[in-house]
Amino acid sequence: MSDIITTPKISLLAPVPPPATVAAAAAAAPTEKPLIETEKLSLYYGQAKALKEISIKIQEKLVTAFIGPSGCGKSTLLRCFNRMNDLIDGVRIEGAIRIAGHDINSREVDVIELRKRVGMVFQRSNPFPKSIFENIAYALRLQGIKSRSEMEGTVESSLRGAALWDEVKDRLHASALGLSGGQQQRLCIARAIAIRPEIILMDEPASALDPIATAKVEELILDLKKDFSIVIVTHNMQQAARISDYTAFFYIGELIEYDRTARIFTNPAQKQTEDYVTGRFG
Amino acid sequence: MKADSQRSFQTGRFDYGSFFFTGVTGLATYLILATLAVILINVLVNGWSGLSLHFITAGTENGMFNVDKAGVLPMIIGTSARVLLMTIFVIPVGVTTAIYLTEYAHSSSIFTRIIRGAVNNLAGVPSIVFGLFGVGFFINFIGHRVMDPMLHPNNPELIVWGKPAIIWASLTLAVMTLPVVIVATEESLKAIPQGLREASLALGATKLQTIIKIVLPQALPGIMTGGILAVSRAAGEVAPILFTGAAYYMASLPHSLTDQFMDLGYHIYVLSTQSSNVDKTAPILYATVVVLLLLTFTLNLVAIFVRAQMRKKLRALN
Amino acid sequence: MANKEVGSKRSVGWMGLQRGHHAHPLEWIVEKGIFAVSLSAIVMIFLIFLFVAREALPIFFGQLNSAKVQKVMSVAEMEKLGPAELQAYLGLTPEQYASMDTETKRLLMEVKLEEFKESSQDKDATLNTTSWRNMILPHQWSGYSKPEYIWQPVSEIQKYNIIPLLIGSLKATLVALLFAVPLALGAAIYVSQLANARAREWLKPTIELLAGIPSVVLGFFALIVMASVLQSVFGYQSRLNAFVAGIALGLAIIPVVFSIAEDALTSVPRSYTQAALALGSSKWQAAWKIVLPAAIPGVFAAVVLGFGRAIGETMVVLMASGNASIVSWNIFDSTRTMTATIAAEMAEAVVGGHHYRILFMLGALLFVVTFVSNLVGDLVIHRLKHKLEGKR
């Protein structure tokens, strides 16, 4: 497989126990050392309360899916993790978000550094109107990488990592806007992994794609899981069932249920969750 | 009552309403176009013969109203110089202000809304009022009260800056066209999908890096269109420079920022109102008009072309 | 910035996170620069009205006195006056006043007294022509049979009645609107509703090309060509008048009115028209009975903005209106507008003098009138767009 996936990754975090066993023991709230942890997190748009006292613990090197009907706050919560909500006027946050133990809303946190560690893939693919190569090179230059050879190597390994290399290797310097929707989205994923974040946040990454492109992206996500911790927002329940290890169900700004994916879809504890996953509303 | 089978979709009646309505509105449209054509054709037919190499390379040393010898080179240079100076002031300031308003200022705050309203309304303030502003602010305040006493305090009689000059005319025009540049830049900045900014920020770029590397290159055609429109508007304006810098006659070209200058538009005004024999001087008057129209229309066409290219590009983006 | 230690970053994990974000010094400077430049541009925008109005301030507060002859005082009365009053009475600047000793001032008082005795006993000479009363109401000038509105800033007794100029401006603007609005509106309806797509593509930019003609060229055309043609058609007396100027002014505002009206008509959702067509009305009925009523605020805004543009236009009226400041509502009389007055007289007005200040007052007046009309127009358009989009 690609370089990325074979490169050993060293982290100061405590080694994570095999997820299945831990999760099985901890049931609804996976504990031990969570990678992302929120504590009574509330978010307001002006007066409106969009998130209501959410406490959730997300584990490392797993795929965690956020599901729920539109407007339930799942995307808003995702955007809290790399502080993209900072860009919106009038957003106020109460409670704490800790990533690897650091309170990311504290004054000391370097938000630029945070976003380099917590990558993001958006709902609408948003490649820069530059060449395929430049799209990734832009991300690398932000990291201070200037040497051409290092840059070319990383561009290739990231494109391989995003399963796009074979399709675009002959036209690296063509405009990224000439790619198909699915290719564009994979380019965005390649761009996100190029700077080797610890976490990748995905905001409905396949919602604008056709079924074949969606399948490719899902395959890619399962592949990336080996190296990255992934949090994905989706409104497609089959998708959540296929790719995620844990699933959180949100409804009108509240976290209704959070458990192993298999449990959420087969034997949910809450009536609301059951109604949603069986398609009774949403 | 006719049976259904006999109902016809064809009508024998002539639709007078439609004929009248389409006729009247169409007539209005083509009347406007005809007037435009009449003006342009009249100017071109009467002005083309007067347009010669000599005319655009000669000055007015042999008399402004001398049909055979007078030329417009000093006016072409004067107009170009004041427009160029204006561009140097207005583009950086206008673009920077637009960047601040769209990228930094809180768009929902009352303060920003007031500024935006003021900018929009400024575009409709009469150009003669800008001329007054130029006199009151640049010449009498900045030039006469501030710069002259500061630069040569020992010689209070000497007036260098406190009088009409090309720099004041250019600054006055810059203030006048500021809204054009701000609005055009803001529009092109707003047309850039928010997703591009988010993509850059999510990769760990700072706001400024995002603006310089991602946003501005995209907005460039729009900014250029705004700049060209500002230039073409300013090139033909006469009212704001009447008493801030334009000269009726000057023996030499402007050498410094504090010199006055001769101007194409003002020259048209002079030739059409101050000539003792309008019929006799008509050829040079018409030729001057052709030169000014060529200048402004070329600029407008370039702006339209750039804008069309930009729209095409944007359509491809979305 | 973290750029330097990229190589080691991967082994650092989350360590680098908690050291706060310190912007690169260059970035910090650039961002402060952006703010400073924008702030000064914005301040400049607000300064415009301030500096135009500032020059006219003494008029608004009635602090000027243009009377040639004032109430005279005997030399003995000098002691009763305060320094400021005395300075004003003697017509001195503060510097001059400060540099004079009492004896010089006494001498000046005597000169003033002499002047008064020698000056003509014209009762107009005692009049302050810069007072609001004399700028707006008619006055019985000596030598005239009845009270008159007179603008005559260059004469023995300067007369500053602004009524002739107001009437002149309104007259030319009215003619311009009467000429331009029906044409521009008709064209807007035709282009937005009736013309086919291909015709629309070239009609709109071509009409807007009219906006690219500088107003001095329109003024030239009105003066050299239109004035003679219109005179031979209508056969009126004075060659240059409000009618000629108004028509040329109309040409200047047609693109403005057309653009805004066309925009408003186009912003009416297509579904309105389609609904009407589906009910069996014809294209023109849909345009006239459905689209136009829906866009009527936009049409109103177009007229208001056209008015603002017309009343502020300078070169056209300066060249084509004849510039006689007479009070007459006859559009075929020569006329003088506020803008043309400023343009023609500013150069010869003494800086800081009465004439200068009154011209600035006219400028401030124009500013307010156009600003308000722009504001009204913009608000109406904004509301209309909001409404049409909200209903969609």
Side-chain angles (χ1 to χ4, degrees), chain B residues 19-312:
Chain B
F19 177 76
F20 178 76
F21 194 74
T22 313
V24 166
T25 55
L27 195 70
T29 312
Y30 289 101
L31 203 63
I32 295 175
L33 295 181
T35 316
L36 179 66
V38 166
I39 296 176
L40 295 182
I41 290 170
N42 177 282
V43 169
L44 277 180
V45 165
N46 289 295
W48 202 252
S49 55
L51 213 58
S52 63
L53 190 66
H54 174 263
F55 183 70
I56 53 173
T57 52
T60 46
E61 309 83 43
N62 298 310
M64 289 172 73
F65 302 103
N66 186 329
V67 179
D68 301 315
K69 292 190 179 149
V72 287
L73 186 66
M75 297 86 186
I76 294 178
I77 292 177
T79 302
S80 312
R82 74 160 161 90
V83 167
L84 195 74
L85 264 176
M86 173 206 86
T87 316
I88 294 172
F89 293 122
V90 76
I91 299 283
V93 174
V95 170
T96 310
T97 309
I99 290 175
Y100 178 75
L101 287 178
T102 37
E103 307 287 332
Y104 286 95
H106 298 275
S107 57
S108 53
S109 80
I110 289 182
F111 182 63
T112 319
R113 268 192 258 162
I114 289 175
I115 291 169
R116 221 165 248 142
V119 169
N120 282 335
N121 281 306
L122 199 62
V125 170
S127 51
I128 190 80
V129 175
F130 285 99
L132 288 180
F133 171 69
V135 172
F137 182 70
F138 290 124
I139 297 182
N140 290 345
F141 184 72
I142 301 284
H144 190 69
R145 297 259 185 83
V146 179
M147 289 182 72
D148 272 334
M150 253 172 60
L151 296 180
H152 40 83
N154 304 326
N155 193 352
E157 300 298 310
L158 184 66
I159 295 173
V160 178
W161 297 93
K163 62 178 178 47
I166 190 165
I167 174 113
W168 302 137
S170 303
L171 280 170
T172 305
L173 288 168
V175 175
M176 190 186 84
T177 50
L178 195 59
V180 180
V181 177
I182 293 180
V183 170
T185 309
E186 267 207 280
E187 267 170 19
S188 59
L189 290 176
K190 278 184 197 152
I192 295 165
Q194 192 62 23
L196 285 186
R197 293 187 183 87
E198 290 188 343
S200 174
L201 292 170
L203 290 170
T206 61
K207 200 164 193 168
L208 195 63
Q209 282 170 330
T210 305
I211 291 169
I212 291 174
K213 299 251 175 68
I214 303 293
V215 175
L216 277 186
Q218 285 293 297
L220 206 58
I223 295 171
M224 273 169 62
T225 317
I228 298 166
L229 285 179
V231 166
S232 99
R233 177 170 173 205
E237 276 290 354
V238 178
I241 60 166
L242 275 176
F243 19 83
T244 53
Y248 178 84
Y249 173 74
M250 277 184 75
S252 60
L253 292 172
H255 292 293
S256 76
L257 292 179
T258 54
D259 282 348
Q260 282 188 270
F261 61 98
M262 291 176 86
D263 179 81
L264 274 175
Y266 186 54
H267 194 58
I268 292 172
Y269 170 67
V270 170
L271 285 178
S272 37
T273 56
Q274 312 290 314
S275 171
S276 51
N277 186 345
V278 177
D279 287 334
K280 203 171 144 247
T281 53
I284 49 172
L285 171 55
Y286 268 104
T288 314
V289 173
V290 172
V291 172
L292 180 63
L293 278 184
L294 279 179
L295 188 72
T296 52
F297 271 49
T298 313
L299 287 168
N300 268 309
L301 287 178
V302 171
I304 289 170
F305 178 74
V306 174
R307 188 159 44 182
Q309 291 296 103
M310 180 181 69
R311 289 219 175 118
K312 234 184 249 170

Side-chain angles (χ1 to χ4, degrees), chain C residues 344-372:
Chain C
E345 295 173 6
M346 193 65 206
E348 64 214 35
V350 180
V351 174
H354 305 139
H355 191 191
Y356 173 91
R357 297 206 184 283
I358 286 176
L359 291 179
F360 267 89
M361 188 204 71
L362 288 177
L365 200 63
L366 275 171
F367 187 105
V368 172
V369 169
T370 51
F371 201 89
V372 168

Side-chain angles (χ1 to χ4, degrees), chain C residues 227 231 235-242 244 321-322 331-335:
Chain C
Q231 192 181 26
Y236 44 73
Q237 275 279 301
S238 53
R239 187 169 164 275
L240 298 178
N241 52 44
V244 179
S321 67
I331 57 167
F332 295 121
D333 278 340
S334 171
T335 194

Side-chain angles (χ1 to χ4, degrees), chain A residues 10 12 99-100 102 106 108-110 112-114 117-118 142-143 195-196 198, chain C residues 1-4 6 9-22:
Chain A
I10 307 157
L12 279 198
I99 294 186
H102 301 280
S106 92
E108 283 82 48
V109 160
D110 180 351
I112 302 300
E113 198 57 32
L114 172 73
R117 305 289 172 81
V118 184
L142 291 175
Q143 294 281 333
I195 57 172
R196 316 240 48 205
E198 256 82 351
Chain C
M1 293 191 79
N3 293 350
K4 295 279 150 50
V6 168
K9 178 215 142 188
R10 273 152 220 173
S11 58
V12 177
W14 295 96
M15 288 290 277
L17 200 59
Q18 207 133 11
R19 68 178 135 62
H21 183 65
H22 298 288

